[in-house]
Amino acid sequence: MSFNERSRHITQGVARSPNRAMYYALGYKKADFDKPMIGIANGHSTITPCNAGLQPLADAAIAAIKASGANPQMFGTPTISDGMSMGTEGMKYSLVSREVIADCVETSVQGQWMDGVLVLGGCDKNMPGGMIGILRANAPAIYVYGGTIKPGRWKGQDLSIVSSFEAVGAFMAGTMKQEDFEGIERNACPTTGSCGGMYTANTMSSSFEALGMSLLYSSTMASPDQEKIDSAAESGRVLVEAVKKNIKPLDIVTRNSIENAVALIMAIGGSTNAVLHYLAIAHAAQIEWTLDDFERVRRKVPVICDLKPSGKYMAVDLHRAGGIPQVMKILLNAGLLHGDCITITGRTLAEELSAVPDEPRADQDVIRPISKPLYKEGHLAILKGNLAEHGAVAKITGLKSPVISGPARVFDDEASAMDAILSDRIKAGDVIVLRYLGPKGGPGMPEMLAPTSAIVGRGLGESVGLITDGRFSGGTWGMVVGHVAPEAYVGGTIALVQEGDRITIDAHRLLLRLEVDDAEIARRRAEWKQPEPRYKRGVLAKFSTLARPANEGAVTG
């Protein structure tokens, strides 16, 4: 339906709608009303390097859309910098921003009756938020990622934002000189772009290639590079063609294409946050997808990319090695992708990958052949047990043994846990319990990068466990389990753990267990009282009231 037809529909057949006058104020000509109107959901922001490079991409997309015979109309979406808000009350707004971005996209596309939308974002929640909004509106759409940051360098070593967080633990432990601590801090983030390992932003953008909603190769391009601008322009042209062909998001995002995205996430060693976000994306698309589906895919898809945080390489290295298309071609040839899924170009995924080599180049070791994987099974394990009856998520790459059983060290807030870690009150064999940080209890399910990085920085990454009903950064690694459901605030068993109780984390058996007998747990449950909500007004109170549990994606709509 053209914009002119939509305008007539809105005004119930009035031939000359008075609302056209406002478009003339924007520079429209009479002929423009017969052209499709394409929204540009622009997440540009100078608050974070993740989004500070988006405006040139928006400009390139706008020019390409105009040249393709459509009318671009730009509107804004917000962003919260996870890296900057980490360890503060501001971190509680991060997941909330996913829902706000989704609402912005849906509201603008539907409220202005747009014919299509190009969503442009950088920081972690920009991707799932934009995709959720796209699926709710179901107008032809494409996602354009702002690109990855280039690695920093200090004394010959590649750096990322996580290097800075881990340096805090090492410096406080006395194993790092002040010169190196300050050098890492100053040099970790040298350009615009999102955090450079296979953290949440790069995980989600990579998965959108497999989902069929972004152009091939676009997710691993560096933010400052010309090819990123060129890809944004091409995305605009492709979107205009999708509008003409009436290819809608719900034609592309199906149960099989979500399975493709999750398979890709497993193969690249992606972020635990992808579990939460794909539950939410599936919910927006009204597709049945549960934690059990992640476990089903994990068991058949190996990890074939050696990427940070638990591996060696950065996203730019993956790009030079062949990018996400090379990974997908390997998976496709192994029968691990549904090649018949349609993409935003109108071609199938198999058709899109037809020119990609069957095997990775021999002169690189970022991408492994499927016959020589880093791990034979995927890395995002779904654990269950009396501590997580509805499930929890563990990232099990990079560990010599993903099993620990030890005494609980219980904290009801992040600051107290950080103080204990940095003051050497946490010892090898301990299992830290960080609770009342779930969707409702946090509220907002904040990420625990500061505590996990401090643990790693103090040399305890292999020997200290940490469980939480909150989340982890995509940069987290170690013996960590998040998304514990039911969460503490609603009376989940994690709320009943006492200091010194023995807890078992066993990824081999997919088990998270409190080693306390059922009668004692029942006694504690009878005595437990729900705490007062931490926020009683504003957006955090609203999120706490509306949010569904982590095993359902913590969605609000």
Side-chain angles (χ1 to χ4, degrees):
M1 184 182 293
S2 72
F3 177 68
N4 191 39
E5 290 170 320
R6 288 188 175 212
S7 178
R8 284 199 299 270
H9 176 76
I10 292 170
T11 55
Q12 297 180 332
V14 177
R16 298 292 179 186
S17 169
N19 63 16
R20 291 188 178 192
M22 300 183 76
Y23 287 97
Y24 281 119
L26 297 172
Y28 269 56
K29 307 299 182 186
K30 185 176 181 180
D32 288 332
F33 291 101
D34 290 319
K35 298 176 182 178
M37 183 170 74
I38 307 296
I40 308 290
N42 186 1
H44 174 78
S45 169
T46 59
I47 196 66
T48 169
C50 304
N51 290 53
L54 296 187
Q55 192 56 49
L57 308 186
D59 294 340
I62 286 168
I65 288 167
K66 284 182 179 177
S68 299
N71 284 320
Q73 298 293 331
M74 187 161 59
F75 61 94
T77 61
T79 193
I80 298 296
S81 171
D82 291 11
M84 290 175 172
S85 65
M86 200 73 67
T88 73
E89 283 293 289
M91 185 67 229
K92 294 178 179 179
Y93 288 85
S94 171
L95 186 59
V96 175
S97 76
R98 183 190 73 179
E99 302 300 293
V100 175
I101 292 165
D103 291 349
C104 284
V105 172
E106 178 192 0
T107 300
S108 296
V109 172
Q110 299 290 66
Q112 297 300 136
W113 208 248
M114 294 172 181
D115 296 289
V117 62
L118 181 151
V119 182
L120 177 60
C123 201
D124 294 5
K125 307 310 173 293
N126 293 188
M127 269 67 70
M131 190 58 64
I132 291 166
I134 281 169
L135 292 166
R136 288 182 193 163
N138 199 33
I142 193 167
Y143 201 97
V144 176
Y145 178 46
T148 185
I149 199 169
K150 292 187 175 181
R153 295 283 288 178
W154 179 250
K155 294 186 176 180
Q157 297 295 314
D158 279 351
L159 302 175
S160 72
I161 184 60
V162 176
S163 306
S164 183
F165 279 89
E166 292 180 357
V168 172
F171 180 66
M172 294 295 291
T175 59
M176 179 178 288
K177 296 178 181 178
Q178 183 159 347
E179 174 197 7
D180 292 322
F181 174 69
E182 292 179 355
I184 290 170
E185 184 178 56
R186 288 195 306 270
N187 293 283
C189 299
T191 69
T192 60
S194 298
C195 301
M198 193 46 68
Y199 311 144
T200 303
N202 284 330
T203 296
M204 294 305 297
S205 62
S206 296
S207 75
F208 286 176
E209 288 191 41
L211 191 65
M213 291 296 295
S214 290
L215 297 187
L216 295 191
Y217 298 101
S218 63
S219 66
T220 51
M221 294 173 178
S223 172
D225 289 352
Q226 181 61 41
E227 66 175 349
K228 185 72 255 186
I229 294 175
D230 295 342
S231 178
E234 179 62 16
S235 297
R237 289 187 284 270
V238 167
L239 176 57
V240 174
E241 287 303 307
V243 170
K244 292 176 181 177
K245 296 173 183 175
N246 199 30
I247 301 173
K248 295 182 178 179
L250 292 179
D251 299 325
I252 299 169
V253 180
T254 63
R255 182 172 168 84
N256 280 351
S257 70
I258 288 177
E259 184 164 316
N260 286 347
V262 172
L264 186 278
I265 290 163
M266 296 294 177
I268 61 177
S271 168
T272 54
N273 283 310
V275 175
L276 192 78
H277 296 326
Y278 267 96
L279 289 168
I281 287 168
H283 176 81
Q286 297 183 301
I287 292 167
E288 184 178 349
W289 188 268
T290 69
L291 287 178
D292 291 338
D293 289 304
F294 287 97
E295 185 59 29
R296 173 177 58 83
V297 175
R298 184 189 75 82
R299 288 183 175 275
K300 66 180 181 178
V301 178
V303 179
I304 60 172
C305 294
D306 191 1
L307 297 166
K308 288 182 181 294
S310 55
K312 293 191 293 187
Y313 294 105
M314 306 286 274
V316 292
D317 300 311
L318 175 60
H319 191 61
R320 287 191 288 266
I324 295 303
Q326 181 64 82
V327 179
M328 288 198 290
K329 187 61 174 285
I330 294 168
L331 296 179
L332 180 69
N333 289 345
L336 297 172
L337 290 184
H338 301 281
D340 57 348
C341 289
I342 198 74
T343 72
I344 186 60
T345 66
R347 296 184 292 274
T348 67
L349 186 63
E351 289 170 336
E352 288 287 279
L353 296 173
S354 61
V356 177
D358 288 334
E359 296 291 336
R361 295 197 325 267
D363 63 346
Q364 59 79 44
D365 62 348
V366 185
I367 306 171
R368 302 283 187 90
I370 202 146
S371 59
K372 297 179 180 179
L374 273 80
Y375 304 94
K376 292 182 180 180
E377 293 182 337
H379 64 300
L380 298 179
I382 306 303
L383 309 189
K384 293 185 179 179
N386 67 353
L387 252 179
E389 295 97 327
H390 298 165
V393 183
K395 188 175 187 179
I396 59 176
T397 46
L399 296 170
K400 294 183 180 70
S401 175
V403 178
I404 189 170
S405 186
R409 305 298 309 280
V410 182
F411 304 93
D412 290 349
D413 62 86
E414 181 181 3
S416 299
M418 275 296 289
D419 181 64
I421 295 165
L422 296 177
S423 61
D424 286 328
R425 287 184 281 126
I426 301 299
K427 306 299 181 184
D430 287 346
V431 178
I432 297 171
V433 178
L434 261 170
R435 63 191 182 188
Y436 292 105
L437 295 168
K440 291 183 176 294
M445 212 178 174
E447 293 179 353
M448 298 293 107
L449 178 60
T452 58
S453 295
I455 290 168
V456 171
R458 296 182 88 77
L460 299 170
E462 293 274 1
S463 59
V464 167
L466 189 152
I467 69 169
T468 181
D469 49 7
R471 296 182 295 125
F472 295 116
S473 162
T476 292
W477 72 275
M479 179 56 69
V480 296
V481 182
H483 309 198
V484 171
E487 63 174 288
Y489 186 76
V490 300
T493 306
I494 190 173
L496 311 178
V497 179
Q498 295 180 359
E499 186 80 8
D501 286 346
R502 180 160 293 274
I503 290 174
T504 297
I505 304 170
D506 188 337
H508 292 315
R509 294 191 290 160
L510 303 178
L511 179 68
L512 182 62
R513 180 171 176 80
L514 174 63
E515 304 293 355
V516 173
D517 67 57
D518 292 345
E520 174 61 14
I521 291 174
R523 185 191 67 77
R524 294 180 189 180
R525 193 179 304 281
E527 292 180 354
W528 177 83
K529 290 182 173 53
Q530 186 177 65
E532 285 290 309
R534 286 173 167 157
Y535 293 84
K536 297 184 179 181
R537 61 190 300 272
V539 69
L540 289 179
K542 185 188 301 183
F543 184 88
S544 180
T545 300
L546 296 175
R548 300 175 79 161
N551 60 297
E552 296 179 26
V555 296
T556 60

